[in-house]
Amino acid sequence: TLPKGAGPRHFVASADERFWYVLGELDARIHALKRNAITGKSQHLESHDLLESGSTEKPWAADIHLTPDGNFLYASERTGSTISGFQVNKKSGRLMPTGKWKTEEQPRAFQISPDGRHLVAVGQKSHHASIYSISEKTGELEPAQRIATGNNPSWVEIITLTDDL
């Protein structure tokens, strides 16, 4: 059970599925849950705000992803046009905020590369994609490139191309 008005939008699970991280679209919070493998029920561990404390902006969170190694979690918030990062404690499931970065206007979607080295975010109102390098040690995002996408991008898919035919 999540707090009233959370508006769950997306979730990601730890590799061992002991922890779930639910993005509340309407409260712009990440809700960390510990899952009981036998009963399937979950226990609320903690919540983290994506908007600044005391913000009067209307919350409008959009997307959530873990790095492939499970060390870092990121979530986008459309109203503030930000991506927030968290370090994941794999034993307790708890999150420690690592940073918040301005990104494309109204970041509806983002994706993390399969190698966990890059994050690509698109801005539905900016009509651009930004590519960030992810620090392996701190999870910090470093801008690497910005690319025009056309109007209203709303999804990111990363594919691996090979020469094998």
Side-chain angles (χ1 to χ4, degrees), residues 69 71-72 87 98 134-140:
D69 61 10
N71 290 333
F72 299 101
Q87 185 171 18
T98 57
I134 300 173
S135 169
E136 185 179 339
K137 292 184 181 186
T138 66
E140 230 177 286

Side-chain angles (χ1 to χ4, degrees), residues 100-155:
K100 185 176 297 207
W101 301 272
K102 275 296 210 184
T103 190
E104 297 297 332
E105 186 179 1
Q106 196 170 305
R108 180 148 178 205
F110 70 93
Q111 195 61 255
I112 296 171
S113 62
D115 62 8
R117 295 177 51 210
H118 296 92
L119 183 149
V120 180
V122 294
Q124 197 167 10
K125 287 189 174 179
S126 72
H127 317 298
H128 280 79
S130 281
I131 302 170
Y132 301 90
S133 296
I134 300 173
S135 169
E136 185 179 339
K137 292 184 181 186
T138 66
E140 230 177 286
L141 299 181
E142 179 71 34
Q145 189 174 6
R146 188 170 190 244
I147 304 165
T149 60
N151 291 337
N152 303 315
S154 62
W155 195 253

Side-chain angles (χ1 to χ4, degrees), residues 24-124:
E25 178 178 16
L26 305 178
D27 68 359
R29 299 180 95 198
I30 295 175
H31 303 280
L33 309 171
K34 182 176 183 177
R35 181 178 168 268
N36 182 312
I38 296 169
T39 66
K41 293 185 178 186
S42 60
Q43 168 193 354
H44 186 268
L45 294 174
E46 62 186 359
S47 295
H48 292 271
D49 290 319
L50 299 179
L51 289 173
E52 295 297 326
S53 179
S55 173
T56 58
E57 295 180 300
K58 179 182 176 188
W60 198 25
D63 209 355
I64 186 170
H65 293 284
L66 280 164
T67 54
D69 61 10
N71 290 333
F72 299 101
L73 180 137
Y74 299 91
S76 63
E77 204 291 316
R78 291 175 274 194
T79 300
S81 296
T82 58
I83 295 177
S84 296
F86 301 84
Q87 185 171 18
V88 179
N89 181 318
K90 292 181 182 179
K91 289 183 181 180
S92 70
R94 295 192 180 273
L95 303 173
M96 183 177 76
T98 57
K100 185 176 297 207
W101 301 272
K102 275 296 210 184
T103 190
E104 297 297 332
E105 186 179 1
Q106 196 170 305
R108 180 148 178 205
F110 70 93
Q111 195 61 255
I112 296 171
S113 62
D115 62 8
R117 295 177 51 210
H118 296 92
L119 183 149
V120 180
V122 294
Q124 197 167 10

